């Protein structure tokens, strides 16, 4: 009798309770679904992702802007993700400096020693300075600006400049220059290029390339062979890191 009495009048929820199977809370179910969906949409950030965001922020706004909360906002995540990869802000700042040294200084040192002769090395340097994938002048400028208010970094920048100059001087010595002449030639080449960036010169790629012969002669005292120039220009056209600034 009880069963026949309950059947017409008891709601589905009541039956579930009577049977010992409570109906799921629809709001909780929806919340869980939304959380899982958000989790699936959220990217898993690596140390490289955080460092890339820090580098972009440094270049755009300076070292003071490289803050954990600002980076998290930029990446669209919480601050907690940062601490999986870095101990604190100081560690990511140090990583920025290391990244600069690895990218820009290594590019110059490698190029200076790359060629089978002085022509090859100077052309490799020109390629590095054209290709932002090898040498990023914006990063160099940002680090130097930061160093003006950081004595320890300033000392490291000076040390880095000496490393670069030494590599260039060795390049000239291998070509037969005396140590004194090689040092002067290295300074002439390096300070000219750094000055180009410091002045913020912006030229169309075609304009920069039109000066290659003249630059080469000023750096080496020799004429650039046409065959070597042709190969250089062909490689420039194929490199994705070389873009027209004009």
């Amino acid at each position: 009798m009880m069963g026949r009495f309950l059947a017409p009048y008891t709601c589905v929820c009541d039956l579930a309770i009577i049977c010992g199977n409570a109906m799921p809370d629809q709001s909780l179910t929806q919340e869980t679904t939304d959380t899982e969906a958000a989790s699936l949409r959220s990217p898993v950030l690596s140390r490289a992702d955080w460092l890339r965001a820090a580098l972009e922020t440094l270049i755009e706004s300076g070292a003071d802007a490289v803050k954990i909360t600002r980076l998290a906002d930029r990446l669209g995540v919480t601050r907690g993700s940062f601490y999986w990869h870095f101990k604190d802000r100081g560690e990511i700042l140090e990583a920025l400096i290391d990244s600069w040294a690895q990218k820009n200084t290594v590019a110059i040192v490698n190029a200076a020693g790359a060629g089978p002769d002085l022509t090859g090395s100077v052309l490799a340097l020109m390629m590095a300075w054209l290709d932002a994938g090898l040498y990023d002048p914006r990063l160099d400028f940002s680090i130097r600006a930061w160093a003006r208010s950081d004595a320890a970094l300033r000392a490291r920048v000076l040390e880095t400049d000496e490393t670069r100059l030494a590599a260039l001087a060795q390049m000239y010595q291998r070509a037969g220059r005396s140590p004194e002449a090689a040092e002067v030639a290295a300074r002439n080449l390096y300070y000219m290029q750094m000055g180009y960036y410091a002045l913020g010169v912006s030229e169309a790629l075609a304009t920069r390339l039109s000066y290659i012969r003249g630059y080469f002669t000023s750096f080496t005292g020799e004429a650039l062979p046409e065959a070597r120039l042709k190969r250089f220009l062909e490689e420039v056209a194929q490199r994705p890191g070389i873009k027209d600034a004009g």
Side-chain angles (χ1 to χ4, degrees), residues 14-49:
D14 292 334
L15 283 173
I17 294 172
I18 292 171
C19 296
N21 298 315
M23 293 291 287
D25 186 323
Q26 294 298 317
S27 64
L28 290 177
T29 302
Q30 184 61 46
E31 181 180 344
T32 301
T33 302
D34 291 344
T35 300
E36 290 173 348
S39 177
L40 290 172
R41 289 194 301 269
S42 299
V44 177
L45 296 178
S46 66
R47 178 184 174 91
D49 292 323

Side-chain angles (χ1 to χ4, degrees), residues 3-246:
R4 290 197 300 272
F5 178 77
L6 287 173
Y9 302 103
T10 306
C11 70
V12 175
C13 294
D14 292 334
L15 283 173
I17 294 172
I18 292 171
C19 296
N21 298 315
M23 293 291 287
D25 186 323
Q26 294 298 317
S27 64
L28 290 177
T29 302
Q30 184 61 46
E31 181 180 344
T32 301
T33 302
D34 291 344
T35 300
E36 290 173 348
S39 177
L40 290 172
R41 289 194 301 269
S42 299
V44 177
L45 296 178
S46 66
R47 178 184 174 91
D49 292 323
W50 281 96
L51 186 56
R52 189 178 304 110
L55 284 168
E56 291 169 354
T57 301
L58 173 67
I59 290 170
E60 293 169 3
S61 307
D64 288 343
V66 183
K67 303 288 179 62
I68 299 172
T69 299
R70 182 164 180 169
L71 297 180
D73 290 343
R74 183 178 191 128
L75 292 168
V77 297
T78 63
R79 288 166 51 98
S81 174
F82 173 88
Y83 295 102
W84 282 99
H85 307 291
F86 299 95
K87 180 178 65 176
D88 51 27
R89 178 174 180 263
E91 186 174 347
I92 198 170
L93 290 178
E94 188 63 29
L96 282 175
I97 298 170
D98 290 341
S99 179
W100 159 71
Q102 284 297 313
K103 181 179 177 68
N104 284 5
T105 299
V106 168
I108 293 174
V109 171
N110 286 349
D117 52 18
L118 183 60
T119 296
S121 294
V122 170
L123 288 177
L125 283 164
M126 290 180 171
M127 188 66 73
W129 283 322
L130 284 169
D131 190 342
L134 295 176
Y135 175 92
D136 189 343
R138 303 172 307 153
L139 178 56
D140 230 58
F141 182 82
S142 298
I143 291 289
R144 291 176 188 279
W146 178 7
R148 295 191 188 104
S149 59
D150 188 313
L153 180 55
R154 174 61 179 164
R156 186 162 177 181
V157 168
L158 292 174
E159 180 182 341
T160 296
D161 284 334
E162 290 302 317
T163 298
R164 296 175 181 182
L165 283 167
L168 296 175
Q170 290 169 12
M171 175 186 75
Y172 282 111
Q173 286 190 58
R174 288 194 301 271
R177 305 280 181 93
S178 69
E180 294 78 9
E183 179 70 20
V184 171
R187 287 169 174 262
N188 179 52
L189 172 56
Y190 185 64
Y191 293 152
M192 188 283 290
Q193 192 62 40
M194 293 302 105
Y196 181 93
Y197 296 133
L199 289 172
V201 178
S202 180
E203 296 176 315
L205 179 60
T207 301
R208 294 188 72 180
L209 294 177
S210 71
Y211 295 129
I212 292 294
R213 288 187 184 86
Y215 286 150
F216 180 87
T217 299
S218 71
F219 296 150
T220 66
E222 304 170 358
L224 177 58
E226 286 301 313
R228 303 286 286 271
L229 174 60
K230 181 181 178 182
R231 288 200 300 271
F232 178 84
L233 295 177
E234 288 172 348
E235 185 176 351
V236 166
Q238 295 171 0
R239 284 182 175 253
I242 299 179
K243 297 180 174 60
D244 196 334

